[in-house]
Amino acid sequence: MQKTIRDLNLKNKTVLIRADFNVPFKGDVISDDNRIVSALPTIKYALEKGAKVVLFSHLGKVKHKGTPEEVEADKKKNNMVIVYKRLGEILGKDKVKFSDVPSGDTVNELVKTLKPGEVLLLQNTRYEKGEEKNDPALAAKWASFADVFVMDAFGSAHRAHASTYGVPEILKNEGKDVAIGFLVENEVKALSRVVHVDKKDRPYVAVIGGFKVSDKIKVIETLLEKCDKVLIGGAMAYTFQVALGKEVGISPFEPDQVDFAKKCLDLAGNKILLPIDGVATDAFKDWTKKVTVDGPNIPAGFEGMDIGPKTQALFAKELSKAKMVFWNGPMGVFEQSDFEAGTRAVCEAISKLHGAFTVIGGGDSAAAVAQFGYKDAFSHISTGGGASLEMIENDGHLPGIDVIG
Ligand code: ADP
Ligand code: MG
């Protein structure tokens, strides 16, 4: 396990914390501040220990390949000032300062005036062209004012960017302290358990759903190796049904993934459970007919939108035996109330488990669980969609965490 912020002396030190403030927002209104709230334990700890805290993060996308006007428009849209305002409300306006540029002389001057117990938030790291390229000159600028680096951006830990990789690499080489924060520590603990499976955690059941098989090939392969049962729902189930020679009507499936699905089915045999019924409509949007289809075949002109009641019961029965569950991907188009029952049923089944270790990875799955009010029913809800899946695929490794040591 990496060093954590608890292991370090922070008093009077300039502590540079890579946080994940990539919040959803419209205009200047943050629609969900969960990522800011999740970063607070580490920030507050550092402040209490007398550190001068400098925070940096990316927000949205800035496409540097565009015209200068397009780059400016991206920057304007993804201005970190919205996070600065929210942090000020939470920590106290007098305690939080903001640099409207991410690096350079302005930042260096502001860092110099920072007192222990104060916070300086830097502008969006992606304003810098070199961020995503892990440009060493950019990393050196950020590293130059830091005594200590703390990695607490789990959602960005699968990216070896200047702020997540270049900076800790430089500081480590200089003999300075680098560590993970509380948020990353919790993620590593929970996800390591679903990666390095202990006997006491079996049967280990995975639930996989969501839209595309192609997004999740490696994670499906890995879970098939590690788990005792893999329940597959969501749109991706149709590619598996096609591999079995079933009819899927106009359901979304991926022709170029059928061979992969066949290979999984051959190798995994009865480890994989697929839907045995479903809810289907005559169109995705503005549908006029909705039917419950008894059996895995979906009639011509219809598309599958959710798993059916028999599948809900089948999946619930498997889940009731589980000692450990990893869930990624909704069972249907849960955003529409007509097709939320399958995803809700999985929440319900998991909430009935006592003493089992249950983990969710995946942005939409986590959103569904929150929407249905089942957040407390899970042992761990990962803050990183892509990062949690990559950690499983890579046997517990992510560049932004491995670099810490
Ligand atoms: P996660 O973010 O949890 O990893 P994904 O991004 O893979 O999940 O997939 C989520 C999306 O999959 C949701 O928007 C949901 O509406 C969609 N989805 C699930 N089942 C179906 C289906 N049968 N048809 C179309 N879309 C589906
Ligand atoms: Mg998603």
Side-chain angles (χ1 to χ4, degrees):
M1 185 92 186
Q2 289 69 24
K3 254 192 200 171
T4 78
I5 189 169
R6 255 184 249 103
D7 302 320
L8 308 181
N9 173 13
L10 305 177
K11 198 168 170 60
N12 294 328
K13 301 269 173 68
T14 302
V15 178
L16 178 59
I17 302 178
R18 176 56 163 97
D20 178 5
F21 292 145
N22 185 29
V23 290
F25 65 97
K26 271 214 173 90
D28 55 6
V29 180
I30 295 172
S31 41
D32 179 0
D33 70 354
N34 184 41
R35 285 191 160 152
I36 300 176
V37 173
S38 305
L40 292 175
T42 297
I43 299 170
K44 285 187 172 162
Y45 179 87
L47 293 173
E48 277 161 22
K49 295 288 171 189
K52 309 171 198 174
V53 174
V54 182
L55 299 170
F56 67 154
S57 166
H58 79 278
L59 175 65
K61 288 199 171 91
V62 179
K63 291 189 272 326
H64 289 279
K65 281 196 181 118
T67 63
E69 292 76 24
E70 284 166 345
V71 175
E72 273 319 300
D74 275 353
K75 286 184 178 175
K76 201 170 164 215
K77 186 175 154 223
N78 297 303
N79 194 320
M80 194 59 84
V81 75
I82 55 170
V83 174
Y84 163 60
K85 286 184 185 149
R86 186 78 193 101
L87 267 180
E89 284 163 12
I90 298 171
L91 296 171
K93 279 199 181 88
D94 51 324
K95 269 197 180 169
V96 187
K97 297 190 164 81
F98 182 59
S99 165
D100 61 6
V101 290
S103 74
D105 291 342
T106 310
V107 172
N108 296 341
E109 286 309 311
L110 284 166
V111 170
K112 272 187 208 149
T113 63
L114 205 61
K115 296 189 200 76
E118 286 181 345
V119 173
L120 170 66
L121 173 66
L122 306 186
Q123 183 56 274
N124 186 355
T125 54
R126 288 195 181 163
Y127 272 35
E128 298 283 357
K129 206 174 173 178
E131 158 71 332
E132 292 186 66
K133 293 184 194 150
N134 189 12
D135 172 24
L138 175 62
K141 280 191 199 170
W142 280 322
S144 69
F145 59 75
D147 300 317
V148 174
F149 175 84
V150 176
M151 173 58 174
D152 215 20
F154 183 73
S156 305
H158 56 318
R159 308 267 183 246
H161 292 169
S163 66
T164 56
Y165 197 91
V167 175
E169 201 179 31
I170 292 172
L171 291 172
K172 232 173 43 179
N173 287 338
E174 289 175 353
K176 300 216 168 113
D177 279 331
V178 298
I180 57 173
F182 296 119
L183 182 155
V184 167
E185 185 187 20
N186 283 338
E187 294 275 7
V188 170
K189 272 191 189 152
L191 291 165
S192 297
R193 189 160 163 189
V194 300
V195 170
H196 307 293
V197 188
D198 194 277
K199 258 205 222 118
K200 72 174 188 328
D201 288 331
R202 294 193 180 278
Y204 175 16
V205 178
V207 185
I208 313 180
F211 199 61
K212 279 182 170 175
V213 175
S214 51
D215 285 348
K216 299 181 183 171
I217 292 180
K218 266 190 87 184
V219 89
I220 295 171
E221 280 177 337
T222 311
L223 289 169
L224 280 171
E225 271 168 34
K226 294 186 189 293
C227 297
D228 301 295
K229 276 277 185 266
V230 175
L231 319 179
I232 300 181
M236 75 158 64
Y238 305 119
T239 303
F240 285 85
Q241 302 287 23
V242 170
L244 286 172
K246 310 287 186 214
E247 298 295 331
V248 297
I250 52 167
S251 304
F253 82 97
E254 290 170 278
D256 56 341
Q257 297 303 327
V258 173
D259 283 343
F260 169 72
K262 268 193 192 134
K263 195 183 89 190
C264 289
L265 289 161
D266 285 346
L267 285 175
N270 61 3
K271 229 186 217 190
I272 295 181
L273 283 187
L274 288 168
I276 50 171
D277 64 349
V279 178
T281 52
D282 56 348
F284 183 78
K285 249 186 96 193
D286 304 325
W287 49 269
T288 53
K289 287 181 221 147
K290 181 176 112 174
V291 290
T292 299
V293 184
D294 193 6
N297 291 300
I298 293 176
F302 279 84
E303 75 170 279
M305 299 287 273
D306 195 7
I307 58 173
K310 285 189 181 166
T311 311
Q312 289 173 26
L314 175 72
F315 285 6
K317 193 170 160 224
E318 277 312 320
L319 285 166
S320 72
K321 301 175 209 161
K323 289 270 164 35
M324 184 156 78
V325 178
F326 178 76
W327 181 12
N328 169 270
M331 298 291 97
V333 187
F334 74 96
E335 296 92 338
Q336 298 182 44
S337 58
D338 284 291
F339 315 110
E340 65 171 41
T343 306
R344 215 182 243 283
V346 170
C347 290
E348 174 78 27
I350 292 174
S351 75
K352 284 188 184 145
L353 294 173
H354 293 292
F357 188 67
T358 55
V359 177
I360 287 207
D364 291 291
S365 329
V369 166
Q371 185 181 318
F372 301 146
Y374 284 97
K375 256 178 153 172
D376 295 337
F378 289 84
S379 314
H380 183 74
I381 299 179
S382 177
T383 55
S388 62
L389 296 189
E390 279 196 33
M391 190 153 177
I392 288 175
E393 292 167 13
N394 299 331
D395 210 33
H397 293 285
L398 289 177
I401 294 173
D402 289 354
V403 69
I404 301 299

